Amino acid sequence: MENSNNLTEFILLGLSKNKKVQILCFLFFLLCYLAIWLGNLIIMISITCSQLINQPMYFFLNYLAVSDLFYTSTVTPKLMTNLLTERNVISYKNCMTQLFTTHFFGGIEVFIITGMAYDRFVAICKPLHYAIIMNRQRCNSILIASCVGGLLHSLGLFLLTIFLSFCGHNEIDHYFCDIYPLLKLACTDTHKIGFLVIANSGLMGLVIFLVLMASYFMILYNVKAYSAESRHKALSTCSSHITVVILFFAPVIFVYIRPATTLPEDKVFTLFYTIIVPMLNPLIYTPRNVEMKNAIRKVWFCSYNKNS
């Protein structure tokens, strides 16, 4: 994993050079990271220790929480460390590792969200066949396919990057090692590689986003025939999913759908899908979900009462 110019490290320029801003950012991201761990651990434990794990929707929600923890942990700890240090250095090998793992877990998250949308589509549009279609074997297959899809997505970007030649300039204008800032440092022509990145990340994100939105429009069309109570439950569940889809995919599409260029806004948009969305997922999926709230009460409060 070494480039042709024997470059051993990169310097991450981060979010700001202002010391006061850096301290405020550190405190903010520390709170976000703690919230991410607390919220997603509560979801994971509540689902795993209750009967909800047998339901496909919560099966996927459990693994979405797992992927959230791994995904944000590839970026957030390094970001917080850099906010407290003067020289924000990352080795070449660690940079390539971060690039791979970030897109690997990010890819898994994308495909799990897609699996959740498929589950809701089947549940609402084909309710009589739901139990047969969304059996445990099908759920496991979707989960395995999500991991394979994330691996192929990440491996593609990784292979495009490790063969690049760098010409001494090693300052990455970002808070983590991502593909476009690295392409900007390459001393070779990256025009063709940029189009491959668009196909791998931008177009993939756009196509999946359009498919997801189309499925939700079909769901909304089908629920018109339901009773008021069933319609309210379906709309409540789908609104949570749609919120996550828009918050996650809109920034991804903005960053990766264009040619290999970087904009100052990229850092802000990237924060959404690397930190903000993993933090908001527990808040989006839980408050209006009666089954999830009941599971949390049973697992956490009943255990507390027994212990006391």
Side-chain angles (χ1 to χ4, degrees):
M1 196 191 296
E2 293 196 17
N3 62 341
S4 58
N5 295 304
N6 297 318
L7 192 71
T8 59
E9 64 181 26
F10 293 101
I11 298 173
L12 296 168
L13 297 183
L15 298 171
S16 174
K17 293 182 179 180
N18 186 300
K19 200 63 183 176
K20 291 182 179 179
V21 174
Q22 288 179 343
I23 293 173
L24 289 174
C25 286
F26 172 80
L27 294 174
F28 174 71
F29 293 128
L30 177 62
L31 291 174
C32 288
Y33 196 49
L34 292 174
I36 289 168
W37 272 91
L38 179 62
N40 285 290
L41 280 176
I42 288 175
I43 284 182
M44 289 162 55
I45 295 172
S46 300
I47 293 175
T48 305
C49 297
S50 69
Q51 295 298 316
L52 291 183
I53 192 64
N54 297 318
Q55 299 183 36
M57 183 175 78
Y58 299 103
F59 173 86
F60 290 123
L61 181 57
N62 178 54
Y63 284 101
L64 179 67
V66 174
S67 67
D68 273 338
L69 291 181
F70 281 106
Y71 179 44
T72 194
S73 294
T74 63
V75 173
T76 313
K78 180 62 177 174
L79 169 61
M80 292 192 298
T81 302
N82 289 345
L83 288 169
L84 297 179
T85 55
E86 293 294 331
R87 193 165 180 264
N88 305 327
V89 175
I90 184 169
S91 69
Y92 178 84
K93 289 184 177 180
N94 286 342
C95 184
M96 296 301 109
T97 301
Q98 188 181 57
L99 172 73
F100 178 84
T101 54
T102 301
H103 283 276
F104 173 58
F105 291 114
I108 291 176
E109 181 145 344
V110 166
F111 292 115
I112 288 179
I113 291 173
T114 307
M116 294 174 75
Y118 176 70
D119 169 68
R120 290 301 85 201
F121 175 81
V122 175
I124 295 171
C125 298
K126 298 182 178 181
L128 298 178
H129 301 93
Y130 178 71
I132 297 173
I133 297 174
M134 295 305 298
N135 53 47
R136 182 44 61 94
Q137 184 179 359
R138 176 66 58 85
C139 291
N140 288 333
S141 297
I142 291 174
L143 182 63
I144 293 170
S146 298
C147 294
V148 173
L151 178 62
L152 293 175
H153 161 70
S154 179
L155 192 61
L157 295 180
F158 178 75
L159 292 175
L160 289 174
T161 308
I162 59 170
F163 294 111
L164 290 175
S165 296
F166 297 96
C167 300
H169 184 58
N170 66 342
E171 291 186 342
I172 298 176
D173 189 15
H174 216 304
Y175 60 87
F176 76 104
C177 290
D178 202 8
I179 182 69
Y180 277 163
L182 286 168
L183 290 181
K184 194 175 179 181
L185 301 183
C187 58
T188 54
D189 182 17
T190 60
H191 186 71
K192 293 181 179 179
I193 295 177
F195 282 107
L196 291 175
V197 174
I198 292 174
N200 182 293
S201 299
L203 286 178
M204 182 188 78
L206 180 61
V207 169
I208 292 176
F209 175 74
L210 293 176
V211 169
L212 291 175
M213 295 310 295
S215 70
Y216 286 123
F217 279 124
M218 292 180 67
I219 288 172
L220 294 176
Y221 177 79
N222 278 272
V223 297
K224 290 192 298 183
Y226 283 31
S227 65
E229 184 180 352
S230 298
R231 186 163 60 244
H232 175 74
K233 184 178 180 181
L235 291 175
S236 178
T237 303
C238 288
S239 64
S240 301
H241 288 240
I242 292 171
T243 302
V244 171
V245 167
I246 293 174
L247 287 176
F248 188 89
F249 281 91
V252 168
I253 293 169
F254 175 84
V255 171
Y256 294 108
I257 199 64
R258 62 179 189 269
T261 57
T262 56
L263 298 174
E265 295 84 3
D266 286 353
K267 297 178 186 180
V268 177
F269 280 98
T270 306
L271 286 173
F272 269 89
Y273 57 82
T274 56
I275 298 176
I276 303 300
V277 171
M279 180 184 68
L280 293 178
N281 274 347
L283 298 175
I284 291 171
Y285 282 112
T286 304
R288 289 190 294 174
N289 191 313
V290 177
E291 291 179 316
M292 193 69 233
K293 287 191 289 187
N294 289 337
I296 291 173
R297 289 193 192 100
K298 288 179 181 178
V299 171
W300 296 91
F301 294 101
C302 289
S303 299
Y304 175 76
N305 291 335
K306 287 179 183 178
N307 292 332
S308 52

